[in-house]
Amino acid sequence: MASTLSSSSIAVLSSRRHSSPSIHSLSLTKGQVSGCKFCGGIGFHGVKGKSQFSVLSVATEINATQQDIQAQRIAYKESQRPVYPFSAIVGQDEMKLCLLLNVIDPKIGGVMIMGDRGTGKSTTVRSLVDLLPEIKVVAGDPYNSDPEDPEFMGIEVRERVLKGEQLEVVFSKINMVDLPLGATEDRVCGTIDIEKALTEGVKAFEPGLLAKANRGILYVDEVNLLDDHLVDVLLDSAASGWNTVEREGISIAHPARFILIGSGNPEEGELRPQLLDRFGMHAQVGTVRDAELRVKIVEERARFDKNPKEFRDSYKAEQEKLQQQITAARNFLASVQIDHELKVKISKVCAELNVDGLRGDIVTNRAAKALAGLKGINKVSAEDIATVIPNCLRHRLRKDPLESIDSGLLVIEKFYEVFT
C-alpha cells in the first residue's frame, strides 16, 4: 500500500516518525473526533484541531490509499470466476422479481425456485452477487455482526458493547454462501476445538457456513436432494435465527439470520413441508417456448462464453442502474405504508384458502411493501398485492392429489373474488 503514496506524503511521514499513522486508522493530533470516512471497508478517523501533517499531505495520502484500494478491488473481481450479469437474463420475470424483493427486504424469508432443468435457476441466483448492497459490519467479526442492532450481534460483540468499548465499523458487501449437497454437518454448523478447550480452557470455535451467511444469502442448489440431517439444521437456524453447537459439554451460539434461497427440479423429488414453509416466496420457472426468445438466449450465452469481460462491460450501465434502484428501495422501504383495508383483504384471502399459520399474511404484506419501494411509491396498491400474492401463498396450500389446476391460479382466483 505504501508504494502508492505520493512522494510528498512519504517525505512528511518520514519526518514525523513520532506520529506513525496506520493505514486503518489515520490519527491526527489532539482534539475531538469529527467523524469516520469509510473507503472500501477501511475506516479513516479525522480529528479536529491542529494537525501534525499538512492538509495537502493527508489528502494526498487518503486519495492515494483510496486509489490503491479501488485498484485492489478491481483486480480481485477480475481474478474471480466471471458471473453472468443479472440484467442480461432473458425472461423468467417471476423468479427475478422474487429475488429482488428478498434483497430489498431480507425479512421476507427467502425464495424457493422450482422448475425444469436448464432454465437458468442457478445462473440467475448467482448473478445476484453483483447487485448486493453494502452493509455495516463490525471489523474482524466472523459473524458479520450489525454494530447498531443487538439482534444481529455475536455474543462477543455484545459483551464489548456492554463494556462500553468503541466498535470499529466497516462497510462490507452482503455475502452469498453456497451450501454444497455433500457438505458435512461440522462444515455447516462450525466445530469446537476440543483439544484447545481442554488444554487452554478456551472455547476455540471454527465458524461454519451458517456463520458466514449471517445477514447474507444462503443458497442451496438442488435443495430437494439435501440430506435430512442438514435440512434439520437449516430448519432449526431458520426458526430461531441462531445456530447452537453442542459438543462434549461445551456450548457455543452465534446469530444465523440469512435469506434462504433454494432451487430444484420437482421431478427429482418433493421438498419436506416443514422446510418448504420456511421459504417466504415460491417462484415457478418454466422453459421458454417462444422461438425468438430461445435464439436470443443462445446467442447471449455464446457471447458470454466467448468473452465474459466484454459481455459484462456491455451490461455495466444497466447493472449499476439496477443496483442504485435496489439501494434506493432499501432506504425508502421504512416509509412505505399499506392501508388497513388491504391488510384485512390479504388475511381474508389466506383464511378462505385454508392457509396454515400466519406466515402467508406476514410475507404477503412485506413483499407488497418491498415491491412498492422498488417502484418508488410510498403506498401499496391492490395491483402490488396481486403481483406478489401467488408467490407468497402458492406453496402454503394443502396439496390435493386429484387437483390438476396450478395452485398459483387458485390464489389469483381467490384474490379477485375477495378484492373485487
Side-chain angles (χ1 to χ4, degrees), residues 359-396:
R359 282 202 185 99
D361 307 54
I362 295 168
V363 170
T364 305
N365 278 271
R366 283 177 174 160
K369 290 174 73 174
L371 179 58
L374 185 62
K375 293 178 178 178
I377 304 169
N378 62 0
K379 203 167 188 180
V380 173
S381 65
E383 183 186 349
D384 297 329
I385 299 169
T387 304
V388 300
I389 199 167
N391 304 112
C392 299
L393 301 183
R394 173 192 284 143
H395 57 302
R396 304 181 194 278

Side-chain angles (χ1 to χ4, degrees), residues 101 104-105 107-109 280-281 333-351 357-374 377-382 384-393 396 415 419:
L101 295 182
I104 291 168
D105 185 4
K107 290 185 178 179
I108 288 173
M281 302 182 79
L333 185 63
S335 61
V336 178
Q337 301 295 324
I338 180 168
D339 289 340
H340 179 73
E341 183 186 350
L342 294 179
K343 290 180 182 178
V344 171
K345 287 183 176 180
I346 289 171
S347 292
K348 190 176 180 182
V349 170
C350 294
L358 293 172
R359 282 202 185 99
D361 307 54
I362 295 168
V363 170
T364 305
N365 278 271
R366 283 177 174 160
K369 290 174 73 174
L371 179 58
L374 185 62
I377 304 169
N378 62 0
K379 203 167 188 180
V380 173
S381 65
D384 297 329
I385 299 169
T387 304
V388 300
I389 199 167
N391 304 112
C392 299
L393 301 183
R396 304 181 194 278
F415 169 83
F419 275 74

